[in-house]
Amino acid sequence: MLKVVQNLGCSSGFLSQLWKKAHHNTPCGLSSIAISTNPLSNSASTRTRRRHPTTTKLDSFVFSTRGTRSERPSRVCETRSESNPDATTSPSSSSAGNVSKINFCQWCGGPTKHDIPDGEEKMRAICTVCDKIAYQNPKMVVGCLIEHDKKILLCKRNIEPSYGLWTLPAGYMEIGESAADGAIRETWEEAGADVEVESPFAQLDIPLIGQTYVIFLAKMKKPHFSPGPESSECRLFDLDDIPFDSLAFSSIFVSLNLYIDDIRSGKLKFHYGTINKRPGSSPSDMHAFSLDNHLQC
Amino acid sequence: MLKVVQNLGCSSGFLSQLWKKAHHNTPCGLSSIAISTNPLSNSASTRTRRRHPTTTKLDSFVFSTRGTRSERPSRVCETRSESNPDATTSPSSSSAGNVSKINFCQWCGGPTKHDIPDGEEKMRAICTVCDKIAYQNPKMVVGCLIEHDKKILLCKRNIEPSYGLWTLPAGYMEIGESAADGAIRETWEEAGADVEVESPFAQLDIPLIGQTYVIFLAKMKKPHFSPGPESSECRLFDLDDIPFDSLAFSSIFVSLNLYIDDIRSGKLKFHYGTINKRPGSSPSDMHAFSLDNHLQC
């Protein structure tokens, strides 16, 4: 049985079409979401039933929609330099997925060739001396959405990209730590806040730039925070005052929208989705992406 | 308010202590879980309330437990060569986290030095010519838990590591695809099954080997499957007949246990947790890990 919840009638709200498929009593479901910049102005909703997922193109913020999958799984190879929160300290990430930039073998120093290895489908950098392949994989960015006294803790970025714009404390997960511990560490480094993770909140893949955001809901152990070197300011924002017109990254925009949507509905969920960015768009361009294949539990 | 569900009185079942913290009506909570090898023999349970998470050491399969976090976030740096499902086709992954194996700059070919860069805390490989840093990050392994006619689709591995042991179809996520699309692709490649993802099911971090498993619940579009080159056999197993004594990886063992636990409880959830493996243990050693900081929604 397909159960559909469709929010309509909102001129500028955080509009979504939510498909909840009853399956062993799990509340998970599929939706494609079109996002605008003022989620709190969503003042009306209508519920109805539909048999199949569709996407409503609501405004200029949606550049494409994908509510269904192709018949056969296929690889998507397009990538580009990126909008990651740590770009200025992570030179390697600036070439994520661009195999042509790997010119030498990191193990033996031999020159590489760029070819599709036997039995594979994707172009790789292969060492011409030791034959090792330099695989590249998406990076995980882990962070915390911290609520305190019904306010959300945001950090103003003191580094590029998106200098001067607001973000959740987040950064690259390191080898040797869990995603939750990485999110706690990044929150300490960027916001000086000592937090404990309460629940997973969202996994948002961004295929174009080879990143996956994993956001946890967290609480401060003590009501204290102060900006670290990568932040010029940290501040608690009422949900009505979140600066949606000056957020640093699409992933943060989506996370905050989903959170507000959940708060409004009275139930926090876990969200999975794909942020499809328009190639060439800037990290903070909120007019240039769509959230596709949104699943929530 | 802390709500605790503790399953006790089971000599060999999938025993767990589940803490569900009421927070904005979210059902997410924290638990530490001790795992044994025969989850379906769990025939009795008792519910009680406790104020704080604890861990019950149940049998020899638990080598350590961690129910609480340290006071301050800290970096964990220990890593080792690994138990990944694609190790034989991913040479780069065999040095995950071992910065000393990076001897040359992949961009300019210059020799590297191994040092802690200014403003950082972790040892990195830094090019002595162009000063670029070779960051290493955890890899995501994405896969599908496919139910068909109340049976689960498993693949017998035709490659090392864990040759001849059973696994869910899963493999490394590629740059340019979403986790869900990667899981669909891997299922097609390893099991010849064309599936659609229904919901996220689990994120399991394995800090020791720098991997994060992301498992989705999925359905076959058509009731057809056949082993790909990396599998010698694919088979649907009744839940009572899952070969828990011959599974390939701890992550698969945990995923199947959690799934059965959910089926038994009548509600499928999303699970987040950390698999802490005993250093030096083999990928398929089910006596050498614990699932810590388990959160479920």
Side-chain angles (χ1 to χ4, degrees):
Chain A
M1 184 188 79
L2 284 175
K3 181 182 179 185
V4 179
V5 179
Q6 186 179 23
N7 298 320
L8 293 173
C10 313
S11 61
S12 59
F14 182 45
L15 307 183
S16 59
Q17 292 178 305
L18 310 178
W19 286 262
K20 296 180 179 176
K21 184 163 185 178
H23 172 60
H24 293 295
N25 297 323
T26 181
C28 297
L30 171 69
S31 69
S32 292
I33 290 189
I35 294 171
S36 74
T37 55
N38 189 2
L40 286 168
S41 66
N42 184 350
S43 58
S45 66
T46 303
R47 287 168 187 249
T48 185
R49 288 171 185 270
R50 285 174 187 264
R51 287 191 61 80
H52 303 288
T54 60
T55 300
T56 304
K57 185 168 180 178
L58 297 161
D59 51 35
S60 61
F61 305 124
V62 182
F63 78 94
S64 73
T65 57
R66 287 195 251 168
T68 57
R69 296 186 189 286
S70 60
E71 275 304 295
R72 280 284 179 276
S74 62
R75 297 187 186 221
V76 181
C77 297
E78 185 185 28
T79 59
R80 71 172 194 88
S81 295
E82 67 202 73
S83 58
N84 70 71
D86 288 350
T88 53
T89 59
S90 295
S92 69
S93 64
S94 65
S95 60
N98 192 343
V99 70
S100 67
K101 291 188 178 177
I102 300 178
N103 301 312
F104 297 93
C105 174
Q106 61 181 348
W107 299 284
C108 79
T112 59
K113 64 179 179 180
H114 302 111
D115 203 352
I116 299 173
D118 289 343
E120 298 198 27
E121 297 173 18
K122 198 166 180 177
M123 187 75 75
R124 313 282 188 186
I126 308 166
C127 180
T128 57
V129 177
C130 72
D131 291 332
K132 281 187 176 174
I133 303 170
Y135 286 91
Q136 294 179 290
N137 300 91
K139 295 181 191 296
M140 293 174 70
V141 180
V142 293
C144 287
L145 197 161
I146 302 153
E147 191 200 62
H148 183 77
D149 285 344
K150 297 185 178 178
K151 297 177 180 177
I152 300 296
L153 184 63
L154 297 181
C155 303
K156 190 180 238 182
R157 286 178 62 80
N158 197 32
I159 55 174
E160 293 291 354
S162 299
Y163 177 91
L165 299 179
W166 293 92
T167 186
L168 296 173
Y172 284 118
M173 181 175 166
E174 294 273 7
I175 288 176
E177 69 185 2
S178 69
D181 284 344
I184 290 168
R185 174 183 54 74
E186 288 287 345
T187 301
W188 177 250
E189 292 175 0
E190 296 185 2
D194 188 13
V195 299
E196 59 187 355
V197 159
E198 297 209 311
S199 69
F201 178 66
Q203 176 182 335
L204 300 168
D205 303 322
I206 314 179
L208 187 72
I209 58 174
Q211 289 184 357
T212 287
Y213 273 71
V214 174
I215 302 294
F216 294 90
L217 299 180
K219 291 283 184 192
M220 284 189 278
K221 293 179 181 174
K222 300 169 187 171
H224 173 80
F225 56 88
S226 62
E230 296 181 8
S231 308
S232 60
E233 182 184 353
C234 297
R235 195 195 303 177
L236 288 167
F237 285 89
D238 283 322
L239 295 186
D240 288 317
D241 296 331
I242 287 175
F244 278 101
D245 57 351
S246 54
L247 292 179
F249 306 113
S250 56
S251 53
I252 305 304
F253 183 90
V254 171
S255 297
L256 289 167
N257 272 291
L258 292 173
Y259 180 79
I260 290 172
D261 219 27
D262 282 2
I263 291 291
R264 188 184 290 142
S265 74
K267 180 168 171 34
L268 286 169
K269 310 180 195 86
F270 175 77
H271 299 269
Y272 170 79
T274 303
I275 294 177
N276 283 305
K277 294 175 71 74
R278 184 165 53 205
S281 60
S282 81
S284 57
D285 185 350
M286 302 308 161
H287 300 240
F289 72 91
S290 62
L291 176 63
D292 299 324
N293 297 317
H294 177 212
L295 299 160
Q296 50 190 331
C297 299
Chain B
M1 182 187 76
L2 285 175
K3 181 182 177 185
V4 178
V5 180
Q6 186 178 23
N7 298 320
L8 295 173
C10 314
S11 59
S12 59
F14 182 47
L15 308 183
S16 60
Q17 293 177 307
L18 309 179
W19 287 260
K20 294 180 179 177
K21 185 162 186 178
H23 171 60
H24 293 296
N25 298 323
T26 181
C28 295
L30 171 70
S31 69
S32 293
I33 290 190
I35 294 171
S36 74
T37 54
N38 188 2
L40 286 167
S41 65
N42 184 348
S43 57
S45 67
T46 303
R47 287 169 185 248
T48 184
R49 287 172 184 271
R50 287 172 187 263
R51 286 191 63 79
H52 301 289
T54 59
T55 299
T56 304
K57 185 169 180 178
L58 298 160
D59 51 37
S60 62
F61 305 123
V62 182
F63 80 94
S64 74
T65 57
R66 285 193 255 168
T68 58
R69 295 187 188 286
S70 59
E71 276 304 293
R72 279 284 178 276
S74 62
R75 295 187 186 223
V76 182
C77 297
E78 185 185 26
T79 59
R80 70 173 192 89
S81 294
E82 65 200 75
S83 58
N84 70 70
D86 287 350
T88 53
T89 58
S90 295
S92 68
S93 62
S94 65
S95 62
N98 192 344
V99 70
S100 67
K101 291 188 177 175
I102 300 179
N103 301 312
F104 298 92
C105 174
Q106 64 182 347
W107 298 284
C108 79
T112 59
K113 63 179 180 181
H114 302 111
D115 203 352
I116 299 174
D118 290 344
E120 298 198 28
E121 297 173 18
K122 198 167 180 177
M123 187 75 74
R124 313 283 188 187
I126 308 166
C127 180
T128 58
V129 177
C130 72
D131 291 331
K132 281 187 177 174
I133 302 170
Y135 287 91
Q136 294 179 289
N137 300 91
K139 295 181 192 298
M140 293 175 71
V141 181
V142 293
C144 287
L145 197 161
I146 303 152
E147 192 200 58
H148 184 77
D149 286 344
K150 297 185 178 177
K151 298 177 180 178
I152 300 297
L153 184 62
L154 297 180
C155 303
K156 191 180 237 180
R157 285 178 63 80
N158 197 32
I159 55 173
E160 293 290 355
S162 299
Y163 177 92
L165 299 179
W166 293 92
T167 187
L168 296 172
Y172 285 118
M173 181 176 166
E174 295 271 7
I175 288 176
E177 69 185 1
S178 69
D181 285 342
I184 291 168
R185 174 183 53 75
E186 288 287 345
T187 301
W188 176 251
E189 291 175 0
E190 297 185 2
D194 188 13
V195 298
E196 59 186 354
V197 158
E198 297 209 311
S199 69
F201 177 66
Q203 177 183 335
L204 300 168
D205 302 323
I206 314 179
L208 187 71
I209 58 173
Q211 289 184 358
T212 287
Y213 274 71
V214 174
I215 302 295
F216 294 90
L217 299 180
K219 292 282 184 192
M220 284 189 278
K221 293 179 181 175
K222 300 170 188 172
H224 173 81
F225 56 87
S226 61
E230 296 182 7
S231 307
S232 60
E233 182 183 354
C234 296
R235 195 196 301 177
L236 288 167
F237 286 89
D238 282 322
L239 296 187
D240 289 317
D241 297 330
I242 286 174
F244 278 101
D245 57 351
S246 54
L247 292 180
F249 306 113
S250 56
S251 53
I252 305 304
F253 183 90
V254 170
S255 296
L256 289 168
N257 271 290
L258 292 173
Y259 180 77
I260 290 172
D261 220 25
D262 282 2
I263 291 291
R264 186 184 290 143
S265 73
K267 181 170 172 26
L268 285 169
K269 310 179 196 86
F270 175 77
H271 299 269
Y272 171 79
T274 303
I275 294 175
N276 284 305
K277 296 174 70 74
R278 183 164 54 205
S281 59
S282 80
S284 57
D285 185 350
M286 301 308 160
H287 299 241
F289 72 91
S290 64
L291 175 64
D292 299 324
N293 298 318
H294 177 212
L295 299 160
Q296 51 191 330
C297 299

